[in-house]
Amino acid sequence: MRDLFFPLLMGLALLLAACSGSGNAPSFTLSLESTTLAVAQGDSGTFQITTTAQNGFTGTVALSLEGAPAGVSLSPTSVQVTGTAPATHTLTIAVDGTVESGDYPITLKGASGAITKPAGFTLKVLPAGSHTLSGAILSEGAGAPVQGASLRLYFQGTLLRTATSDGEGRFTFDRLPEGGYRLEVQKSGMAGSVVEGIPVPAMSSVTVIQKPAFDASATTTPPTLKITQNGTNSLEGQTFTNTIPFRVQVDTSKDYVKPMRYIYVALGRTPGSAFLSQTATSSRSFFANAEDTGNQTLSGSQVAGLGDTDGEKVYLEILPITFINTASTQTSTVSVPTQVAATAITLTQAVGFYSVKAPLSLTVPLGKGQIGEMPLAAPEGSNLYVEVRWCYTASAVPFAFDIERSQDGQNWTRVGTVGGARSASCPTSAFNRPFFFRDASSDLTPGQTYYYRVVARGANRAESTPSSTTPLPPFFAPLQAPADEIKNVSKKPNFVIGHPQLNLGADGAAYNLVLWDTLTGDNVTWQTLGGGLLLVEFGTGDEGNGIPQGEALVYGLPGGNLAVYTDTAGLLDSSRPNVVPVDVSQGTVTLPYNFDGYASLPELQALRTYAWQLYVSYAYKYNPDEGYRISAYSVQTWPSSTSFIRLSRPGTQVFEFTTGE
């Protein structure tokens, strides 16, 4: 017994040692990003796996699918696993068009030698689709694309596709099945955005405004919203008369960036189309710093011009409903709206939300020899929009005004609807006309001519005469001399600014400059907003400003009186003054010290530091077909309502220089 016991004891010790040693054998782990993947017939989908080497494992892990139907393939079929940190790999599953739709439980197996690691998931094969959803990701404004944003498209609660926005902020998902989709947009440093319930194919395009985040280090996960009548009853597909109940709630159990800045709720004819500024006759509901709007309603001006007596399909944000509007003005026999004027306004930076603010108005030229006030009430998040203004003086009040747009003046698309009204007033200045709509569509493009008309709608339709505008690109007039931080500058210096009007396709530009003593803060010379603007027009011929090409006109209207400083063609002053020299070929304008007599000093003080900047600057474009009114502006800089007055806006050039003896 003693001899037998000893071998048994030794065998047990070896067995225990082997069991103990197996816990330290090289191995790896494998996990899936999601347990569900949706792929349409004839399409492919991607998902991510994470592998982690253990106990010094390094090598190739072969991947395979177990339980997959014929016609389903995986790529790649192997990954390299090394190091100690978790590694993420993107896999693609392709589904042949012959695979029947349905749910398939599948096991992904990772194998290396004798080591095998399984991970289960469900493959949802969807019927083949032929529909497309495209759109753009914009950063607070039409024409300001967000490149490199990550998009995730969900169908029936399952991730279907991913994409990345291109250099123009655009994306496209094709071969989609019919149904409702959720689109999530994420990018580091930007607030997460989500659009719920996108109906495909009824909605083939969507624009998402992805705003900069309060905290760039915070999560970019977008909030999940619940839109109902009262927190319980569904809105989608319901019918309402004159008043629409709603409640919007943020799902606080899910990750998102806090605080919730704004919730807008409005009615439109296409999903999400109602994200627009207040107008004279229509409005929307707005909630700040709220995660729950509480029980609310849309009525009055919030539903003006929408719905009809039979019930019209409209959208509360993205949820389709039927809206019955019993307003008596639907039986009015309406007349044609008059004095329609479309004006494109481009800003160098989007305004609104919580950052850059625009002034209430700017003093601008309105046309040849006309100066007036232009409101800068840009729709939140916009840096390119078209303001359409009109009059309606007839006695029969319309039910609605439809705003229609065309690129050829023949084929028209409705881009907006506002409530109908009348006013006996019809001012000469377009910006003072009583009714307006601001088109901030993401597809507005600088250099493209657009035609707008207003249709009064009641028992009949009455179409206005069209008005056209061609938006300008962003404008930037650089300061050139005296250069920043230069010394030994003359006590009567010449100030040179770049004037890129011709390259922009504009007919002129207006400047309001300021020069001040950095020691005292006192203004030294040049116009203020209460004084005059310096208008510079390089010739663009009869189709533009009426000045011959190669010639130039520099003038102002201080106190409403014309002052011509330079007129190389002798159009306004036959003596051809040259007080403010220009170089048309180089695109520059030179302002001699005290050229306009506004200086408070005969010359600058010696060995003193001064600063100069463009206080206001913008380019403009005439419309010869509409009496040479100005139909497009591109505003570079304007005074700030939140900063020390001379700093216009963040990003405005301010050059300092020091005079000599």
Side-chain angles (χ1 to χ4, degrees), residues 105-473:
I106 295 176
T107 300
L108 173 68
K109 285 191 173 181
S112 180
I115 306 171
T116 300
K117 300 290 183 179
F121 68 98
T122 298
L123 174 64
K124 298 175 70 71
V125 177
L126 306 174
S130 58
H131 307 298
T132 298
L133 176 65
S134 59
I137 312 299
L138 305 177
S139 173
E140 293 193 285
V146 176
Q147 180 180 6
S150 298
L151 294 93
R152 299 164 65 86
L153 187 67
Y154 290 83
F155 182 72
Q156 297 178 354
T158 302
L159 178 64
L160 179 63
R161 298 278 185 79
T162 61
T164 301
S165 59
D166 64 17
E168 296 181 349
R170 299 192 176 278
F171 64 90
T172 298
F173 296 104
D174 56 12
R175 294 174 294 168
L176 298 179
E178 181 176 347
Y181 290 81
R182 170 187 170 96
L183 178 64
E184 293 183 357
V185 183
Q186 294 176 271
K187 184 178 181 180
S188 178
M190 310 292 284
S193 300
V194 62
V195 182
E196 294 273 11
I198 304 172
V200 174
M203 186 176 180
S204 61
S205 179
V206 62
T207 298
V208 181
I209 296 179
Q210 190 180 31
K211 299 171 289 295
F214 271 133
D215 181 357
S217 64
T219 175
T220 60
T221 303
T224 299
L225 300 180
K226 180 182 179 182
I227 306 175
T228 60
Q229 293 186 49
N230 50 20
T232 304
N233 298 336
S234 174
L235 257 174
E236 187 171 0
Q238 302 301 308
T239 298
F240 303 97
T241 300
N242 295 333
T243 300
I244 303 170
F246 72 88
R247 183 175 183 179
V248 180
Q249 298 167 282
V250 177
D251 187 344
T252 56
S253 68
K254 297 184 178 180
D255 186 27
Y256 73 98
V257 179
K258 297 181 180 181
M260 213 31 210
R261 288 191 294 262
Y262 301 120
I263 296 176
Y264 293 92
V265 181
L267 208 60
R269 282 200 172 83
T270 57
S273 67
F275 189 78
L276 48 81
S277 61
Q278 305 282 99
T279 76
T281 57
S282 296
S283 63
R284 59 187 175 181
S285 287
F286 165 78
F287 305 89
N289 302 316
E291 295 177 341
D292 187 343
T293 66
N295 293 339
Q296 307 288 339
T297 59
L298 293 178
S299 62
S301 65
Q302 297 163 335
V303 298
L306 296 168
D308 56 34
T309 54
D310 296 325
E312 179 188 18
K313 182 180 180 181
V314 294
Y315 291 84
L316 193 149
E317 296 308 318
I318 47 80
L319 298 179
I321 63 174
T322 298
F323 183 55
I324 299 172
N325 193 325
T326 62
S328 61
T329 50
Q330 293 178 78
T331 62
S332 297
T333 301
V334 298
S335 301
V336 173
T338 60
Q339 299 298 310
V340 174
T343 305
I345 299 172
T346 306
L347 305 177
T348 52
Q349 187 173 354
V351 302
F353 289 115
Y354 54 88
S355 55
V356 177
K357 303 297 180 185
L360 293 179
S361 64
L362 281 180
T363 301
V364 297
L366 303 176
K368 291 286 187 178
Q370 297 177 310
I371 294 290
E373 297 297 308
M374 176 180 72
L376 276 183
E380 288 92 336
S382 296
N383 68 340
L384 171 58
Y385 64 99
V386 174
E387 178 148 334
V388 184
R389 291 261 177 172
W390 67 93
C391 299
Y392 187 89
T393 58
S395 57
V397 177
F399 170 65
F401 293 119
D402 292 330
I403 296 83
E404 298 181 343
R405 188 180 71 199
S406 172
Q407 292 188 23
D408 59 9
Q410 302 295 323
N411 300 290
W412 297 90
T413 300
R414 182 168 52 191
V415 293
T417 294
V418 299
R422 71 172 298 274
S423 173
S425 172
C426 189
T428 301
S429 171
F431 291 121
N432 291 334
R433 290 170 192 161
F435 305 113
F436 62 90
F437 175 82
R438 297 181 179 112
D439 180 13
S441 303
S442 62
D443 56 355
L444 291 174
T445 304
Q448 170 67 53
T449 297
Y450 297 97
Y451 301 85
Y452 287 84
R453 71 182 183 188
V454 179
V455 180
R457 183 159 49 87
N460 60 308
R461 280 172 49 94
E463 301 168 355
S464 75
T465 300
S467 175
S468 66
T469 182
T470 304
L472 293 170

Side-chain angles (χ1 to χ4, degrees), residues 560-574:
N561 300 311
L562 176 65
V564 178
Y565 301 113
T566 298
D567 187 352
T568 63
L571 297 176
L572 300 180
D573 189 335
S574 59

